[in-house]
Every structure is written in structure tokens, then in C-alpha cells.
Amino acid sequence: MTLKTTLLASAIALAPVAALAADLTIGFSQIGSESGWRAAETTVTKQEAEKRGIDLKFADAQQKQENQIKAIRSFIAQGVDAILVAPVVATGWDEVLEEAADAEIPVVLLDRTVDADESLYLTAVTSDLVHEGKVAGEWLANEMAGEDCRIVELQGTTGSSPAIDRKAGFEQGIAGHDNLEIVRSQTGDFTRAQGKVVMESFLKAEGGENICALYAHNDDMAVGAIQAIKEAGLKPGEDIKIVAIDAVPDAHKAIAAGEMNATIELTPNMAGPALDALEAYLANGTEPAKWIQTESKLFTSADDNMAIFNMKKDLGY
Amino acid sequence: MSTPSAGPRPSVFKRILPQLVILAVALALNVVVFPDFFHIDFRNGRLFGNLIDVLNRGAPVALLCIGMTLVIATKGIDLSVGAVMAIAGAVAASMVVEGHGWGTALLAAMAAGGLCGLWNGFLVAVLRIQPIVATLVLMVAGRGIAQLVTEGKILTFDNAGLIHLGAGTVAGVPTPILIWIALGALVTFVVRRTALGMLIEAIGINERSSRLAGINSRVLLVCVYLVSGLCAALAGVIVAADIKGADANNAGLWLELDAILAVVIGGNSLLGGRFSIVASLIGALIIQSVNSVILLSGLPPEFNLVIKALLILGILVIQSPRIGNYVYMLRASDIQPQPDRPKPIDHQEKEAAR
Amino acid sequence: MKDVPTPDRPVLHARGISKFFPGTIALDDVSVRLMPGEVHALLGENGAGKSTLIKCLTGAYRRDAGVMELDGQEVDPASTAESQRLGIGTVYQEVNLLPNLTVAENLFLGRQPTRGRFIARRRMNAMAREVLESYGLDIDPAEPLSGYSVAIQQVIAIARAVDMSGKVLILDEPTASLDHDEVQLLFRVIRQLKARGLAVVFITHFLDQVFDISDRATVLRNGQVVGECLLNEVTQHDVVTMMLGRQLEARVQNRDTGRAGKTLVEISDLGKRGMIDPFSLTIHEGEVVGLAGLLGSGRTETANLIFGVVPADQGKITLRGKAIDITNPRDAVAHRFALCPEDRKVDGIVGDLSVRDNIILALQARQGWMRPIPRAKVEEIAQSYVRALDIRLASLDMPIRLLSGGNQQKALLARWLATNPDFLILDEPTRGIDVGAHAEIIALIEQLRADGMALLVASSELEELVAYSTRVIVLRDRQQVRELTGDDISPATIIDVIATEEAAR
Ligand SMILES: Nc1ncnc2c1ncn2[C@@H]1O[C@H](COP(=O)(O)OP(=O)(O)OP(=O)(O)O)[C@@H](O)[C@H]1O
Ligand SMILES: [Mg+2]
């Protein structure tokens, strides 16, 4: 008998109980709170659970895999109905996932995937990093509408997968538009401070007037770069178009102020789709797809950014 | 006779000459990758140019290395400065967010840094814990403390006074430049115009002898860590002000290593003893010039660390005593013993002098 | 006198050795010949170039000119390790061992006995014990070296060098911190080596010892050889004249000590468990109290306790009738005490600081960092002591560690004299100081006493102690055993007291 059928069988057995969502208990092992986005994810996950009347057991792993494994084991011991994990690293999960499978508890991965057999988890809810970059590229291509544009790029931390994928995606997005050219690309380490420093050097090396657009792998770097552009006496958003990824509150504020043009959301709401899938699965055994891609929503000045800012600012970003 | 000439005091210029040469080379490299490097103009009410950036962006490490130089002179090391920066930035940001003025915020941040310094000094001077271990405690814990203050997010603010410290200008010159130059000058002045410098060097060279000579090594040790904490706090405030936000995760990250490197490039021995703050400051500028070469070169970021490592290695190799001796020998081989060297002591005269 | 074997070929022949330092010609065309089976004394004033010559011969310094032949073959050791391999064992003036390692490890460093790939620690310790016993040392070789006194460290360094020297043994002031008995032991070892045909180079400022053990002497002055002589053909007086380039006027010993002044320091029952038994001592202005005793008898400990280097755990000190608290040297300095320590390398010099800074260090520490001594004043103080003590240096700016050993000692004396103390404690003040300066330091002590200073002087040189002390306290086994005054003060009585106490034990 395959594992899947076991799970299925157990799910069916559980179905009458699970139908009463109020009785669901779900464990959530979060990586930690290393970034504002992560904090927002935690907040949103709690909100989503509450909205559905789910009892969410939260465990902060403080960036350590062994803490996550411990948390998952304790969830298993408590007999939760399902487990959400935002895995801190990709490897080393097989054993604990098998334990969960043996206990017939479905596991959903949030935000990142792992190098384990697909059968060991129900589904993974993540954003598509390449797609995000592509949306940014396509937006810029569209915005420039054939006009020549020299682009500078602020990369994420060298060698990290978001940096690699968002770069690749953006290049796909502008592929075929000969009017668009990335003239400088340097890492800003995903930080505001480095974003500002590197942008300063771009402005000098290329001359501010020769730069038409900035693509930053995250909003923090873009926010830093905006300050550099202002200090150079140029108008961010006008003299230099700015597109970045994440859609953190400060990016909405910048767009509202006309200092930034677009941001692509990396939604902190990974839990919503995950819980939807879980509820459906627990209720009637609906197998979700192995990968649920979250929406990479584009925000521009056309949106009511101040309203979004106000909504997001308390999420913990 | 055997009265030695007062002689010219070993001149400051001679001491910092190697650093100046290296700085010149590093700046020249910048010109190679970017010919307009030295171009400065006045834009948007501020001096604008790569050289200004080097001076401005070098500010955090320059500030750190002022305190670090003193700590290292006592044979110590302060690994916590990066974390202290994060704490100070967080404290300053949270103060202005709560509605306090920038002056209060600055004072609070300095107080926090001073407290961190006192803590390190206490561990090192009173409990006699090895400096590298003692300051490691705060290096690890400090960032956590900063995160507690900012509650894990980038604590943004828009207090103009505070922002001015990091992003503002005075007469067109970015404020951080003025701050590090002023602090460097002040500390140099204080340690060299008082006996502090000599006493610090003495305990770094031979603490036992110094203690026996009546030097209060405990108080001096606490003092240097205090100064280091204060310098770090100021650096932290500047870094936060620069981006109008306290980023507890990233502010000052790894900067302790750059500060130590600056001190070493400044020709100061990690084994303690004679020090030159000016040379360390030039060391900080050298590091920033290297960073600038990397940024201006336009090479993909994958090369950043390799280039930096190679350039720094080159600098350290050039400075190594072995190479130094070699150069000295090369030069010495064609300089014969100078005729003007003091004549062997003459006994007639000596007799007379008695 | 001994018969000097003079075979045709020297073991070691160095010719035309020169060494220049910035501002100094340390060696100028120096030649020495070491014959097999001879003890060759190297003599000269402080700073004459003796240690430098040794360092050039052993590769510790690169020489600037000259050639060196070992057994007729030209050699050029580039490092001390290489000269050791060539069979030249050396004890440098500044003991060069590793304080954190054990005695045995220091003794066998680099040639530890092994079992398989591991160090045979037990065997090594046993071997070490055996070696040390042959030098009359009964100590635990498994203890770290730092726990032992300079004298013991000196013996260990010698033992190590002797073990390693196949052809030549060089000893740079090996006896400076040794007692009479230990010196005799060392001489016995030297004679054995001599009998085996080794050449031994012996540097010292004790001319008695020179004449006792050496066959031949080379005399240096200002980096030049002023002569070579067979010691059975000359007198001490001749040698001194050669060294100094002038006659050393004989000093009339002045026993008329005048009347001691008011009581300055009164020490009662000061002691520290495990270090020194409680002792009491009263010192008056214008008085020199000598501390005599064998090595390890507690001389240095007494000095350190009074000065607060190690805080006492009982007893009290009064100064001019008022009780004072001395818990560290800073307190002592504040009360105008001064202590010129025994171990100049570890406790005295601040090696990388300039001679100038070293001289004013204690004075500056007493004034506090806020009140720097004005530059001109510093210059004046430093210059005046350099002149008064005849410190030989190229410049006041040179780091003190570059001074010759004897000159470092003088600079340390200067440091404490500069504080103009009321109570000056001197621990082995003439260690490593040449004959000329020796006489002058004795004169200086007399002068200070006459000016009303109170002095406490610990010394292992009885002749010297007797010359300046108004009272002598004899220590044994960390206890005061006798106080000698007036006519009782003579080397003979002191030795007597020590001997009878020893016998009474
Ligand atoms: N590394 C150095 N740099 C500069 N000068 C030096 C150095 N080493 C020694 N000298 C100088 O060379 C001279 C000879 O010194 P050396 O140590 O050989 O004297 P010495 O004969 O051993 O004296 P002492 O009896 O005091 O030990 C001194 O004037 C000393 O200051
Ligand atoms: Mg010497």
C-alpha cells in the first residue's frame, strides 16, 4: 500500500471530525523573525487561522533546523491535525517528515521547498521567484514602450536563490526588447544601507542622467537607492524609474509619494492557500497540487497605495 | 659626549608614510577603473563625487577604528562594535519614534554604547576574561538586544535632526565626514596631548611592568573599551540616520572585522603597543577605496569578495615585516654606513663630563 | 694558573665582524678566536658590543661584514637554530625560554624523547630531573617554568644550552642572577666541558669569576677589540683599565654613615601566607637597609610585599607615624615609594616604548594622565639621567629593548630616581652593570642616603651590600633571621649567619 493511500484512508476516517473546522488544530513551525516579511508572514498566518477558527500552535525556530524538527515532533506527539512548516534549510527533513507520515499528519511547506520525496508532504505553497522578476521586467518593458532605457540592477545577496532567480526572471521579462539594457548590476545585500551605497556608485559611474531605470531585487534596497538618487539631486520615480519586489509597506508609501513606480508582491499570505488546501483535503480528501504558487501581484501608482500601506503597516513588516 | 641628541622626534609623517602610499595606490586603482574618479562638483547643495563617497562611506569603519585602535593598543580586541552599532541605531530610532528630539536620541544611543563599552571593560579589566572571548559575548547577544528594541523590523523615522547626522551636509560636506574627522582629531589630540597615549601603549606592551610603575591599568582598560563603545554608538547612529531607519539585522554586520583590518592596515600591531589613530583612519579609507574600486569596476558581484581579498592580501603582504626587511636590505646594500653617524664615545670628553 | 692549551687551529674563528644599527656602530671589525678546551672571556663596558657579537656569531643578527670559520670551515648560520645544529649552544643575556611550558618541555623543546609518535612525558620529566639535579636543582620539571625565579630559569637555560653545544658554548652573563654556590656548580660544568675540548665563551661583569674560570679574554670597547690577553699574564687592574680605557680610581670605603634621621617607614608583622613570614622593619631617613640571603630566601618577596606588588594578608605599614594602606604599586608610588625590580625584562622595561618614555613612566603615572609632563621637562629629566648614569644610547627615541642589558638597568634606575622618592627599594640594582658603573651606583646610593632618602636594597653581592648598608637584615627560608649593625656588617659575618642558620636547620 502506498503512503498516499494510507493518508487518504486516514483522511477519510477523519473526515467527519474535520468537517467541523473549529476543532482543527494545526502546528506552525516558523523559521524565526529575521526579516519584516517573515514577521508579517507570522502575523498573517495567525490571522488566517483565526479567521477559519483553527487552533494554531506556533513555534519559532530562531533560524535553527533542530528547533524546527523538535517542534514538529512535539506537534506529532500532541496529535495535531496538520503541520505547516517554513523550512529553514532544504535538506535533512526526511526522517521527521516520515514520522509525520507515520502518524498520518499531513505537512504543508510554506514559502520554501525541501529536498525530500514529494510523497512526504502534502503540498508546498511558495511564490515563484523567477516569475516575480519576470513581472518586473515585463512591467518595465511595457512602461518604456520601445523607448531606449539604460537599467541599473541592485542584486540580492550574491549566490542566494532569490537573487539568482529574480535576476533571471527580470532578464526573461525584458528579453526581446532591444531598447532595454542592464548597464550595471551589483549586489546590495538586500539591505537598505548597501542599496544606498551601491546606488551612489551607480550614479557616479554612469552619471545620473544616463540611468533611466532601477530594478532592485527587494524593496529595502530600492528605498535606500531612492535616498541616494535624491541626494544626487534627481527625482526618483521620474528621472529614474524604480521597480522592485516584495511590496513591503515602505514601498507602497514610496509609490504613493511618487518616488517609486512599481513593486511586485511577495505575499506574506502563504498560509491562506495552504489552509484552504488543508481544509479541503481533511474534509473530503481533495489532493491539492504538489505546488501551489502564490500570486505575484503588481502594484503601481494606479493602486491606492496609502490604503494598502495602512493595512500592511501593522502586519509586522 | 654620550649625551644623546634630542634628535627629531620620530615624525608622524614618517609613521604614516606607508599607509599614505597604499592609499595613493588604491585611489590610483580607482582612477584606472573609472577615470573621472577625482571629479567633484556641487550638486543639490552638496559636494558630489566619488572621493566624497569614499570619505563618507568610510565613516562607520573610520569611527569604529578610532576606538579599536586604542583597544588593540592595550593588546585587546573588541568584536562587539558591529552589534553595538545595531543597538545604538535601534535606541536612537526608537527614541525619535517615541517623539523625543534628536539630541535626546543621540545621547541615549551614546549612553547605550557607553554602557556596552563599560560592560566589555568590566569583563576584560576586572574579571580578566580574554578580550576576544569577553567581547564575543556582546557580539552575539548585542544584535538580539537591538532586535528587541526594534521589535524585529526596520524601525523607520523621519526626524530631520537625526537624519542630518547621517545623510545631511554642513556647507556641502556630508555630516558623517565631519563627524569622523572631528572625533579622530579629538581623540588623537586627547591621547597625545595628555599622557593617556603613552600609558595605554605601556600597558599594551608590558602590563606587569606598567602596573609596577604605578599605572592604573584597570581604569585605563575600562576606558579604552568605553571609548570603543562610544565610537561604535556614533557609527551606529550615523548608519541608521543614513537610511532613516534602524536595521537591527544588518546595521554594522561584520564591520568589526573591517575595523580590525583598518587598524592592521594602519600598521598597528595586534600584539598591542605603539599605535597611531591617524594611520588607522587612513587604513579605513584604504578599505573604502578598495570597496570603491569594486563598485566602480562594474564587474559582476561574484567577484567582489575575491577582489577585495586579493587587494587586502596584497596590502598586508607589502606591509609584512619580511618584505619590509627585504626592501630595507635592498636599500641598505647600496648605502654604506653613513659618515655622519656619531663617533664612538670619546673617553677624554667623557672624563671631562664627570 | 692554568695551562692554556693552544693548538694551532681555533674551533671558532671570527674575523672582521661589523654590525651597524641606526645611529650606532655596535661592532667595528671585531675578530675573536676560540681555542678548543679554553674558556674565553668576553669583556667590556655596558654597551661595548658583547651581546651583539654573540648574536652575530649565532645568527640571531645578520652581520654587516666579516667571516666566520668553524673548525676551519667557513660557516654562515642564518638563524639560531642553524647555529645550534652546527654545535654552538647559547644562553642569551635575556633568558629566552617559554614561560607557559613546563621546565622539562623547555629543557627538551624540539628534541623531546618520544615513544612512537607521542612525547614520552614521563621519561622526559625523569630525564629533566636528572639533568637539573646535576646542577643542584631539586624542582618539579612538570611545573610551568613561569613559577620559578629568574635564577632557576637561568640555570635551566644553561642546562639546555650545555646539552646542545657540541663545539662551542656561549654564555652571556649567565651568573648575573646566581648565588655563589650555583656559580660554583656552573663552573664545575664548564670545566667538564672544557676537558671535553669544547670552547666556552663567558661574558660577565664579575672579574673574580673571569679570573677564576677563564683562560683567555678578549676586551671590547665601543664595538672595537682593544686587546686579547692570557689571563694568567695580566691583573684585574690591567683588564679594567683596558675595558674602561682609563684607570678606575679606588674608592675609599666610607663606613661613617652619619646619624640616621627620623623614622620614615614602620612595617609591623607584614606578611602573606605561602609567600613570606610576617616581618617587622623600621627604616629611617638617611639610612640604607640591606637585605641579604640566599636565592629564594625571600628578598624579592619582601620588597614586593612592601610595594604592594602582591598585597599582604596581614600586618600594617605606617609612614611618618600615619598608617597607610598599600594594596597595589599605585598606592606605593603615591606615597613616594619606589621599587626597582629584580627581573628587568618582565617587571621593568616597557620594551617598545622609547628610553625617554621609560624613564618618565613612573613619574607620569604618579601625576596621572591628565597632567602630562611638559615635553621640555621630559627632555631635561631624561637627558640629566642619561648623563648622570652614563646610559649609552643612540637616541632617547630608541625603544628601550634595543639598549644593552646594563644600560636598560640604568634606565630603570633612572625611572625611579626621577620620581624623587622618599623610600627607594632596590632589588639587585647592579645586576648586569659593568665595573665602572658599578662603583658609580654604589656612590649614588651613598649620595642618596646622605641626602636623606631611605633605602632598602636587596642584593646577592655581599661586597656591595656591605659597602653601602647601615644595617643588614639576613633572610633565610622566607624569614628574617638576623639584623646586623655597625661593625658586624661584613661579608664574612653575613656568610656566617647564613651558614649557622643553615646548620641549625
Ligand atoms: N637592535 C638594536 N638596534 C639598535 N641598537 C642596538 C641594537 N642592539 C644593540 N644596540 C646597541 O648596540 C650597542 C651594543 O649593545 P650590546 O647589547 O652588544 O652591549 P653589551 O656589551 O652586551 O652590553 P651589556 O654589558 O650592557 O650587556 C649598544 O649601544 C646598544 O644600544
Ligand atoms: Mg649584553
Side-chain angles (χ1 to χ4, degrees):
Chain A
M1 196 159 61
T2 67
L3 185 70
K4 219 180 270 178
T5 40
T6 327
L7 279 176
L8 206 60
S10 71
I12 292 166
L14 283 167
V17 189
L20 290 171
D23 293 336
L24 272 187
T25 302
I26 290 180
F28 175 30
S29 170
Q30 175 62 294
I31 295 181
S33 54
E34 77 279 5
S35 67
W37 182 86
R38 186 67 61 194
E41 184 189 38
T42 303
T43 316
V44 172
T45 305
K46 287 177 178 165
Q47 286 175 351
E48 289 290 323
E50 202 178 307
K51 209 157 71 186
R52 291 172 172 79
I54 293 172
D55 179 14
L56 189 79
K57 296 196 176 302
F58 177 75
D60 181 336
Q62 300 186 322
Q63 317 294 326
K64 293 210 177 80
Q65 187 179 26
E66 67 252 35
N67 289 347
Q68 289 203 295
I69 291 176
K70 244 185 260 164
I72 293 171
R73 293 214 165 111
S74 110
F75 291 149
I76 295 171
Q78 293 169 39
V80 296
D81 299 301
I83 295 172
L84 301 179
V85 190
V88 64
V89 291
T91 53
W93 296 102
D94 303 68
E95 197 181 324
V96 72
L97 288 181
E98 270 162 29
E99 287 167 30
D102 287 347
E104 299 176 348
I105 299 173
V107 174
V108 176
L109 306 177
L110 291 191
D111 163 45
R112 301 181 185 180
T113 56
V114 298
D115 297 337
D117 193 274
E118 281 199 350
S119 65
L120 290 175
Y121 55 86
L122 183 65
T123 180
V125 182
T126 72
S127 78
D128 183 342
L129 296 165
V130 178
H131 180 65
E132 290 166 355
K134 196 166 165 205
V135 173
E138 282 165 355
W139 173 83
L140 188 64
N142 198 24
E143 181 81 5
M144 294 320 297
E147 237 177 278
D148 280 348
C149 184
R150 293 160 57 84
I151 306 163
V152 293
E153 180 184 29
L154 283 170
Q155 297 187 31
T157 304
T158 309
S160 69
S161 63
I164 294 168
D165 291 348
R166 284 175 178 176
K167 181 171 176 51
F170 186 79
E171 281 162 6
Q172 284 173 25
I174 62 171
H177 298 273
D178 294 340
N179 57 323
L180 305 181
E181 185 199 358
I182 300 177
V183 292
R184 270 184 189 254
S185 178
Q186 178 56 262
T187 175
D189 273 333
F190 282 132
T191 67
R192 250 179 224 218
Q194 273 308 104
K196 183 171 181 184
V197 171
V198 176
M199 190 66 207
E200 276 177 1
S201 82
F202 286 167
L203 289 167
K204 304 218 164 90
E206 293 297 323
E209 56 291 345
N210 299 325
I211 298 173
C212 126
L214 162 69
Y215 166 52
H217 288 189
N218 76 351
D219 288 335
D220 276 341
M221 292 191 289
V223 169
I226 287 171
Q227 293 178 23
I229 294 168
K230 282 202 241 172
E231 280 171 20
L234 297 170
K235 288 207 179 64
E238 275 177 40
D239 297 331
I240 296 177
K241 303 235 179 286
I242 299 174
V243 54
I245 298 176
D246 279 356
V248 301
D250 281 345
H252 290 291
K253 201 165 147 190
I255 296 175
E259 294 176 343
M260 189 167 158
N261 306 80
T263 182
I264 289 91
E265 185 175 52
L266 167 64
T267 178
N269 184 8
M270 303 270 166
L275 293 176
D276 287 345
L278 267 175
E279 277 179 335
Y281 175 72
L282 293 175
N284 47 35
T286 318
E287 271 289 319
K290 270 293 153 194
W291 179 37
I292 301 174
Q293 183 188 341
T294 57
E295 191 187 359
S296 298
K297 189 160 186 269
L298 174 73
F299 289 94
T300 62
S301 54
D303 298 278
D304 182 358
N305 284 285
M306 255 355 256
I308 302 170
F309 170 75
N310 284 324
M311 188 194 78
K312 281 189 171 179
K313 75 175 196 293
D314 294 324
L315 290 181
Y317 273 111
Chain B
M1 164 354 338
S2 79
T3 312
S5 60
R9 290 224 161 203
S11 82
V12 178
F13 179 72
K14 211 168 146 197
R15 164 68 179 80
I16 63 173
L17 186 63
Q19 281 71 39
L20 287 175
V21 170
I22 293 171
L23 180 61
V25 171
L27 292 176
L29 266 183
N30 273 288
V31 176
V32 171
V33 299
F34 186 66
D36 253 1
F37 179 77
F38 282 112
H39 180 80
I40 293 177
D41 56 13
F42 202 74
R43 217 185 273 188
N44 194 25
R46 60 194 296 148
L47 289 171
F48 187 87
N50 289 292
L51 202 57
I52 300 296
D53 282 357
V54 168
L55 292 170
N56 191 21
R57 291 299 156 206
V61 173
L63 285 171
L64 292 183
C65 80
I66 293 170
M68 190 68 80
T69 305
L70 298 182
V71 169
I72 285 180
T74 65
K75 230 183 195 140
I77 199 141
D78 188 351
L79 294 181
S80 71
V81 288
V84 173
M85 280 177 69
I87 295 177
V91 168
S94 68
M95 291 296 282
V96 292
V97 166
E98 279 167 25
H100 296 279
W102 69 271
T104 322
L106 179 62
L107 281 182
M110 298 295 284
L115 221 58
C116 293
L118 287 177
W119 164 256
N120 285 330
F122 172 76
L123 293 185
V124 173
V126 180
L127 299 189
R128 294 271 147 195
I129 299 176
Q130 298 238 352
I132 196 164
V133 180
T135 57
L136 192 64
V137 175
L138 201 55
M139 175 183 179
V140 175
R143 215 159 272 287
I145 296 172
Q147 276 161 358
L148 286 181
V149 177
T150 62
E151 292 165 354
K153 44 189 161 188
I154 299 183
L155 199 55
T156 54
F157 51 85
D158 45 20
N159 179 301
L162 190 57
I163 290 170
H164 184 90
L165 293 176
T169 59
V170 174
V173 183
T175 325
I177 301 181
L178 300 172
I179 293 178
W180 74 253
I181 291 179
L183 191 75
L186 176 76
V187 175
T188 306
F189 183 83
V190 169
V191 296
R192 291 304 174 198
R193 276 305 138 105
T194 67
L196 213 48
M198 182 185 87
L199 299 182
I200 287 172
E201 287 175 345
I203 60 174
I205 296 165
N206 187 341
E207 192 180 349
R208 236 187 104 79
S209 291
S210 308
R211 208 173 75 85
L212 257 63
I215 296 174
N216 194 342
S217 62
R218 192 177 284 184
V219 166
L220 281 180
L221 277 177
V222 173
C223 272
V224 295
Y225 285 92
L226 173 66
V227 171
S228 181
L230 291 173
C231 289
L234 204 48
V237 171
I238 286 180
V239 163
D242 181 38
I243 58 165
K244 304 177 191 165
D247 184 349
N249 286 311
N250 297 306
L253 196 62
W254 306 126
L255 280 198
E256 57 277 344
L257 298 184
D258 272 4
I260 294 167
L261 192 60
V263 174
V264 172
I265 292 177
N268 299 294
S269 165
L270 283 178
L271 298 179
R274 309 301 299 263
F275 67 86
S276 163
I277 291 177
V278 176
S280 294
L281 289 173
I282 300 175
L285 292 183
I286 291 170
I287 294 179
Q288 193 52 43
S289 306
V290 168
N291 289 341
S292 169
V293 172
I294 291 167
L295 290 179
L296 292 175
S297 69
L299 286 171
E302 285 76 13
F303 290 99
N304 288 7
L305 296 178
V306 179
I307 299 175
K308 184 162 176 179
L310 285 178
L311 290 177
I312 300 286
L313 183 71
I315 291 167
L316 296 180
V317 166
I318 291 170
Q319 283 194 335
S320 79
R322 238 165 215 261
I323 303 280
N325 282 347
Y326 189 66
V327 173
Y328 172 80
M329 267 155 57
L330 277 185
R331 268 190 304 171
S333 62
D334 38 55
I335 302 174
Q336 282 309 303
Q338 266 107 63
D340 63 354
R341 107 190 23 250
K343 281 219 307 271
I345 298 157
D346 180 318
H347 285 282
Q348 249 53 47
E349 279 179 60
K350 186 168 121 199
E351 216 83 272
R354 277 170 198 243
Chain C
M1 280 249 164
K2 281 150 236 129
D3 197 37
V4 184
T6 319
D8 312 340
R9 207 176 62 184
V11 190
L12 183 77
H13 193 177
R15 274 171 311 185
I17 307 275
S18 294
K19 178 75 193 170
F20 310 110
F21 293 118
T24 320
I25 303 175
L27 295 174
D28 184 5
D29 194 18
V30 169
S31 300
V32 270
R33 299 179 295 152
L34 305 180
M35 298 303 173
E38 111 177 332
V39 178
H40 193 117
L42 204 52
L43 304 175
E45 287 178 295
N46 293 135
K50 304 178 296 293
S51 300
T52 307
L53 176 59
I54 297 313
K55 288 180 186 160
C56 286
L57 294 184
T58 60
Y61 283 162
R62 289 310 292 165
R63 54 178 186 271
D64 291 324
V67 286
M68 215 178 124
E69 277 170 17
L70 193 66
D71 281 338
Q73 298 243 309
E74 194 165 314
V75 291
D76 185 14
S79 69
T80 52
E82 195 178 332
S83 66
Q84 275 172 10
R85 275 197 297 278
L86 290 171
I88 305 176
T90 316
V91 177
Y92 296 96
Q93 188 170 10
E94 309 298 343
V95 173
N96 220 342
L97 300 173
L98 301 167
N100 296 331
L101 297 188
T102 68
V103 171
E105 283 165 340
N106 267 293
L107 215 43
F108 292 109
L109 190 68
R111 49 191 188 112
Q112 300 96 331
T114 52
R115 192 189 314 117
R117 295 175 52 199
F118 300 98
I119 294 172
R121 199 160 278 281
R122 182 108 46 82
R123 186 145 54 92
M124 182 168 82
N125 286 340
M127 284 163 65
R129 194 178 287 278
E130 210 171 292
V131 171
L132 294 174
E133 262 164 17
S134 68
Y135 289 86
L137 274 189
D138 180 22
I139 59 173
D140 183 0
E143 286 285 307
L145 182 79
S146 55
Y148 294 104
S149 69
V150 199
I152 290 176
Q153 296 189 17
Q154 186 81 52
V155 176
I156 293 165
I158 293 168
R160 177 182 163 81
V162 167
D163 249 20
M164 320 242 306
S165 49
K167 296 183 176 135
V168 180
L169 172 64
I170 301 176
L171 301 169
D172 193 351
E173 300 197 29
T175 56
S177 46
L178 299 188
D179 270 349
H180 182 261
D181 288 358
E182 286 140 334
V183 171
Q184 290 314 314
L185 263 167
L186 173 64
F187 284 3
R188 220 172 57 208
V189 175
I190 292 180
R191 290 197 181 99
Q192 281 164 13
L193 296 175
K194 191 175 132 158
R196 288 203 337 235
L198 257 78
V200 179
V201 176
F202 182 49
I203 300 178
T204 186
H205 293 292
F206 299 110
L207 290 182
D208 293 344
Q209 295 178 1
V210 171
F211 279 84
D212 194 359
I213 189 86
S214 313
D215 309 301
R216 191 194 295 269
T218 295
V219 180
L220 291 177
R221 193 162 79 226
N222 294 326
Q224 288 172 324
V225 175
V226 286
E228 196 206 67
C229 54
L230 284 172
L231 286 166
N232 51 9
E233 291 168 0
V234 294
T235 63
Q236 278 208 23
H237 184 83
D238 299 337
V239 171
V240 171
T241 311
M242 266 169 95
M243 278 166 61
L244 304 186
R246 65 185 163 89
Q247 306 262 337
L248 183 68
E249 64 248 55
R251 231 163 241 286
V252 232
Q253 216 189 38
N254 175 13
R255 213 74 259 278
D256 172 26
T257 51
R259 291 220 31 195
K262 285 177 290 184
T263 303
L264 184 74
V265 182
E266 230 180 319
I267 295 162
S268 41
D269 289 328
L270 198 69
K272 180 172 174 72
R273 190 159 318 159
M275 186 177 158
I276 188 149
D277 284 359
F279 62 92
S280 300
L281 185 64
T282 306
I283 298 167
H284 306 91
E285 287 170 359
E287 179 179 51
V288 179
V289 178
L291 281 180
L294 295 179
L295 262 184
S297 59
R299 293 178 312 216
T300 298
E301 288 79 357
T302 304
N304 284 353
L305 210 59
I306 297 173
F307 200 64
V309 177
V310 183
D313 56 11
Q314 59 170 301
K316 63 172 208 259
I317 302 180
T318 58
L319 175 67
R320 295 193 183 89
K322 272 199 289 231
I324 56 170
D325 217 16
I326 293 184
T327 55
N328 56 42
R330 202 152 34 89
D331 296 340
V333 171
H335 287 112
R336 291 187 165 267
F337 285 19
L339 166 68
C340 193
E342 174 188 30
D343 186 343
R344 71 169 164 258
K345 190 177 177 190
V346 174
D347 295 335
I349 64 165
V350 179
D352 279 336
L353 279 194
S354 66
V355 179
R356 177 194 292 108
D357 286 349
N358 265 282
I359 290 177
I360 61 148
L361 195 63
L363 183 60
Q364 182 64 69
R366 189 174 74 199
Q367 290 215 356
W369 65 269
M370 293 278 274
R371 297 199 296 139
I373 304 166
R375 217 166 249 214
K377 185 89 203 264
V378 169
E379 205 59 44
E380 183 196 317
I381 294 173
Q383 294 276 11
S384 69
Y385 283 104
V386 164
R387 225 171 302 129
L389 299 176
D390 190 19
I391 303 175
R392 308 281 172 87
L393 36 62
S395 137
L396 277 170
D397 283 317
M398 69 195 278
I400 194 169
R401 66 183 160 77
L402 299 183
L403 288 189
S404 81
N407 284 309
Q408 289 178 12
Q409 184 71 22
K410 293 182 191 173
L412 289 181
L413 267 177
R415 172 191 295 173
W416 290 106
L417 293 177
T419 63
N420 193 15
D422 293 339
F423 179 32
L424 175 61
I425 308 171
L426 299 172
D427 196 354
E428 301 287 351
T430 55
R431 170 163 300 168
I433 278 185
D434 69 40
V435 262
H438 196 269
E440 279 170 42
I441 284 177
I442 293 175
L444 179 74
I445 290 175
E446 280 179 11
Q447 179 63 47
L448 294 171
R449 184 192 55 73
D451 292 347
M453 194 183 285
L455 292 102
L456 180 66
V457 187
S459 174
S460 45
E461 280 180 61
L462 298 183
E463 299 288 345
E464 154 192 332
L465 202 63
V466 163
Y468 47 63
S469 300
T470 38
R471 275 190 292 151
V472 171
I473 288 168
V474 184
L475 297 169
R476 195 192 66 79
D477 257 359
R478 293 155 196 269
Q479 263 183 336
Q480 288 190 11
V481 291
R482 270 286 276 288
E483 179 172 325
L484 305 174
T485 49
D487 289 341
D488 280 349
I489 303 179
S490 73
T493 26
I494 295 174
I495 290 170
D496 231 34
V497 170
I498 294 174
T500 45
E501 286 294 332
E502 201 69 26
R505 188 153 64 145

